[in-house]
Amino acid sequence: MFGDWGHGICLLLGALKLGSFMEMLFGGRYVLLLMSLFSIYCGLIYNEFFSVPFHIFGGSAYKCRDATCSDAHSAGLIKFRDPYPFGVDPSWRGSRSELPFLNSLKMKMSILLGVAQMNLGIILSYFNARFFHSSLDIRYQFVPQMIFLNSLFGYLSLLIIIKWCIGSQADLYHVMIYMFLSPTDDLGENELFWGQRPLQIVLLLLAFVAVPWMLFPKPFILKKLHSERFQGRNYGMLVSSEFDPDVEPDSAREHHEEFNFSEVFVHQMIHSIEFVLGAVSNTASYLRLWALSLAHSELSTVFYEKVLLLAWGYDNVVIRLIGLAVFAFATAFILLMMETLSAFLHALRLHWVEFQNKFYHGDGYKFKPFSFALITEDDD
């Protein structure tokens, strides 16, 4: 949702040429290459080239009701044919409802992408638990986490998709807020499908059940297993890698000498509270994608309309050259360098915090990179 394919082509050319004279950028050539390809793709989604709309995939599905379609007093666009075959219809640019439409679209796309990536992170925690043969983590972390996240924000994602498909005018803010405040009230015009109200009640109950499911069972089961192991009961059945403290992936592990139940319980409580609160804050954090896309689009529009087109309006070669130089400088150093760095840092934060905190614990072996020098020292 960031950039357009004009800027993406420039990034692509920079990724191919900068390595000859700038070693630092050459080291990040693959990041630049991928960002340029994704920028070109996002530019095709919005059908824009340097913030200028192009009808690349055919004619628009909309037309102006009158000659002043972008005027504040105009009734706006009217639809007269099938939807645009790929991406956003370019006719939205310059219309009275451009910002409300694109802001709503980008916000919902950010939520969908965020919920999908967080679900992927929880799924990766399942494979971690399988690798360590920890059925406790599967039953009392993976399952309730999937239930909690998708009962609330998975349901919101479903509502977004349904609203897009049927063209409803339902207020999703109202639906999600009153799902908690008044779950039994009639939805009225905000009802998107038959049986939505009882489904919301069931999902709300599942979300409430998932919280104690994450919090209570695991510490008590670990305490019971520790007691049985060192009292000699069912020893042969319980000695397995599933309950081996050396491979238990959490920091809340069993100890051969003693079992600190309060420490394990507090750790599990912190983990559960962090996930519940993080499900809300992490989903909101993905809205930064919406803000980045809006900022990039508006900056591109300002540089194009207020610099290049303004200078081109003068019948003076010098003014036109100055305008072209300012536009080229702003495009290269602000849109391609500063905006690219900003997008990279925000994407890095989303991967590190919102995505990796679902499965990464950082309690494995210390990473030791391969080095010929170390091999030589060991031989000596």
Side-chain angles (χ1 to χ4, degrees):
M1 294 185 294
F2 179 80
D4 57 56
W5 64 290
H7 296 139
I9 291 175
C10 293
L11 276 174
L12 180 59
L13 294 176
L16 297 176
K17 293 182 179 180
L18 286 176
S20 61
F21 59 91
M22 296 181 70
E23 183 179 356
M24 182 181 68
L25 290 178
F26 181 75
R29 61 193 182 277
Y30 297 116
V31 175
L32 290 173
L33 176 63
L34 290 175
M35 291 185 71
S36 64
L37 294 177
F38 291 142
S39 183
I40 292 173
Y41 172 69
C42 290
L44 291 175
I45 288 179
Y46 293 113
N47 290 297
E48 291 182 356
F49 183 83
F50 284 101
S51 78
V52 181
F54 280 89
H55 291 272
I56 304 173
F57 301 100
S60 173
Y62 298 89
K63 64 180 179 180
C64 289
R65 188 183 297 274
D66 52 39
T68 57
C69 189
S70 60
D71 186 73
H73 302 287
S74 171
L77 298 171
I78 58 173
K79 187 174 181 180
F80 73 103
R81 65 168 65 174
D82 292 334
Y84 203 71
F86 183 84
V88 177
D89 197 312
S91 293
W92 284 104
R93 287 300 298 265
S95 67
R96 182 175 60 90
S97 52
E98 173 192 356
L99 279 181
F101 170 76
L102 291 180
N103 279 341
S104 176
L105 175 67
K106 293 175 181 179
M107 179 180 63
K108 291 179 174 64
M109 289 175 64
S110 300
I111 293 176
L112 291 176
L113 183 61
V115 173
Q117 189 176 40
M118 288 190 292
N119 272 290
L120 177 60
I122 299 176
I123 292 172
L124 290 179
S125 72
Y126 166 78
F127 289 102
N128 279 345
R130 281 194 59 184
F131 177 80
F132 290 107
H133 304 286
S134 177
S135 60
L136 286 180
D137 286 341
I138 296 176
R139 291 195 298 264
Y140 304 111
Q141 284 190 14
F142 167 73
V143 174
Q145 286 179 359
M146 288 292 290
I147 291 176
F148 182 85
L149 181 65
N150 290 291
S151 294
L152 301 180
F153 299 103
Y155 172 64
L156 174 60
S157 302
L158 177 65
L159 292 182
I160 290 173
I161 296 174
I162 293 177
K163 181 178 178 179
W164 281 346
C165 293
I166 65 177
S168 172
Q169 298 297 319
D171 185 0
L172 299 186
Y173 295 107
H174 183 279
V175 173
M176 294 303 298
I177 290 173
Y178 282 91
M179 177 179 175
F180 292 92
L181 298 181
S182 303
T184 58
D185 287 357
D186 186 25
L187 295 173
E189 61 182 7
N190 292 318
E191 185 172 3
L192 292 172
F193 55 89
W194 180 85
Q196 182 177 351
R197 185 175 62 178
L199 176 62
Q200 288 186 173
I201 296 175
V202 172
L203 292 176
L204 193 61
L205 291 176
L206 286 175
F208 280 123
V209 170
V211 176
W213 190 350
M214 281 186 281
L215 175 60
F216 295 110
K218 186 176 178 180
F220 288 98
I221 293 175
L222 289 174
K223 180 180 180 181
K224 178 183 177 182
L225 292 173
H226 182 272
S227 301
E228 291 180 350
R229 177 180 300 173
F230 296 104
Q231 290 178 8
R233 292 179 294 175
N234 300 325
Y235 182 81
M237 179 180 66
L238 291 173
V239 176
S240 65
S241 58
E242 176 182 350
F243 305 112
D244 190 344
D246 294 332
V247 298
E248 192 72 26
D250 254 346
S251 59
R253 296 176 175 176
E254 303 159 283
H255 300 284
H256 288 286
E257 295 80 11
E258 60 179 345
F259 182 83
N260 192 337
F261 177 77
S262 60
E263 179 183 348
V264 174
F265 186 82
V266 168
H267 173 85
Q268 189 66 24
M269 181 174 63
I270 293 174
H271 183 78
S272 302
I273 294 175
E274 181 184 13
F275 179 83
V276 172
L277 297 180
V280 180
S281 63
N282 293 349
T283 304
S285 185
Y286 278 94
L287 294 177
R288 71 183 63 238
L289 299 174
W290 164 34
L292 285 170
S293 177
L294 179 63
H296 184 86
S297 175
E298 293 304 310
L299 278 175
S300 301
T301 303
V302 168
F303 292 142
Y304 175 73
E305 295 181 354
K306 304 302 181 182
V307 176
L308 186 61
L309 292 185
L310 186 63
W312 227 251
Y314 291 90
D315 192 14
N316 189 308
V317 177
V318 176
I319 296 179
R320 289 185 176 184
L321 290 177
I322 293 175
L324 182 61
V326 173
F327 176 75
F329 177 85
T331 299
F333 291 95
I334 296 180
L335 293 180
L336 295 183
M337 293 185 66
M338 293 179 60
E339 287 277 295
T340 297
L341 178 61
S342 173
F344 171 75
L345 293 177
H346 282 285
L348 189 65
R349 179 243 150 78
L350 288 175
H351 280 80
W352 180 253
V353 178
E354 279 72 24
F355 174 57
Q356 292 194 18
N357 70 358
K358 302 294 185 295
F359 64 92
Y360 178 73
H361 298 286
D363 55 356
Y365 298 101
K366 183 179 179 180
F367 174 70
K368 294 182 179 180
F370 178 78
S371 173
F372 287 107
L374 294 177
I375 295 177
T376 305
E377 291 177 3
D378 292 340
D379 292 339
D380 295 340

